[in-house]
Amino acid sequence: GAVVSQHPSWVICKSGTSVKIECRSLDFQATTMFWYRQFPKQSLMLMATSNEGSKATYEQGVEKDKFLINHASLTLSTLTVTSAHPEDSSFYICSARDARGNSGNTIYFGEGSWLTVV
Amino acid sequence: AQTVTQSQPEMSVQEAETVTLSCTYDTSESDYYLFWYKQPPSRQMILVIRQEAYKQQNATENRFSVNFQKAAKSFSLKISDSQLGDAAMYFCASTGTASKLTFGTGTRLQVTL
């Protein structure tokens, strides 16, 4: 299947600083990528839909100014957590839609990123 | 709008046995896709199997197969010859051609010796 790579896997940052997480589709072009957050023992919570060349679409309750999403190319989307606070500590995971004709419109996930804000 | 329901929070199966995980869904999309993802303790979301709704034939991937009942909006996952490595959270999900992926709440599968 297609490959989506997410980096970094683990990151620790100081409260008040910003941290960037990258999501790359390695073998297909992804016009649409998705960013999720997962709390312990819960399902994935969609934060935003990232569209190449346009503004991201945020889910209700997600702060746009805090979670900046950029999708500048067909293979890269980034999530920047600005002015991070300890309550932002979580598991963040991205996914990308493979819209090629033989892919069944499948959505593949990156490995995820653990963010700890101290 | 889409909803996905997994009514089994936890399931257990003995090694080498067969287990079926249930999933029902509702969607307003005429063209949609259904997936089962596996999430082991590493938290990575691994695609197990996918089904295009327009295909009547049930998808199979080695030991994994689905029972897709479109009229009943049911999409269950059967794992045959269960292995210890199958222990994980399993999420059922659906998406339209351009819409977001909607997940169920997950089923935790335990595999016992």
Side-chain angles (χ1 to χ4, degrees), chain A residues 13-60:
Chain A
C13 70
K14 291 185 177 180
S15 186
T17 63
S18 296
V19 62
K20 181 185 287 187
I21 302 170
E22 294 186 346
C23 181
R24 294 180 184 273
S25 56
L26 298 184
D27 54 355
F28 66 98
Q29 293 182 331
T31 55
T32 306
M33 291 186 173
F34 305 89
W35 287 96
Y36 298 84
R37 180 174 181 176
Q38 188 176 31
F39 294 99
K41 297 184 179 181
Q42 292 188 22
S43 187
L44 279 69
M45 181 190 80
L46 180 65
M47 299 175 66
T49 301
S50 173
N51 300 299
E52 188 268 335
S54 64
K55 292 183 179 180
T57 304
Y58 288 81
E59 295 298 302
Q60 192 172 7

Side-chain angles (χ1 to χ4, degrees), chain B residues 63-106:
Chain B
R63 297 182 296 108
F64 300 89
S65 62
V66 298
N67 183 4
F68 174 45
Q69 301 290 324
K70 192 171 184 178
K73 296 184 178 179
S74 172
F75 182 61
S76 60
L77 174 69
K78 185 172 82 171
I79 306 175
S80 305
D81 186 25
S82 297
Q83 301 174 0
L84 293 176
D86 295 334
M89 280 290 287
Y90 286 81
F91 291 99
C92 178
S94 72
T95 184
T97 53
S99 59
K100 61 187 179 184
L101 197 59
T102 300
F103 287 97
T105 51

Side-chain angles (χ1 to χ4, degrees), chain B residues 15 19 34 53 64:
Chain B
E15 196 177 19
V19 65
L34 299 165
F64 300 89

Side-chain angles (χ1 to χ4, degrees), chain B residues 31-46:
Chain B
D31 190 14
Y32 58 93
Y33 305 81
L34 299 165
F35 307 93
W36 278 96
Y37 289 92
K38 168 186 177 181
Q39 189 178 43
S42 68
R43 292 287 195 106
Q44 184 170 5
M45 293 288 282
I46 301 166

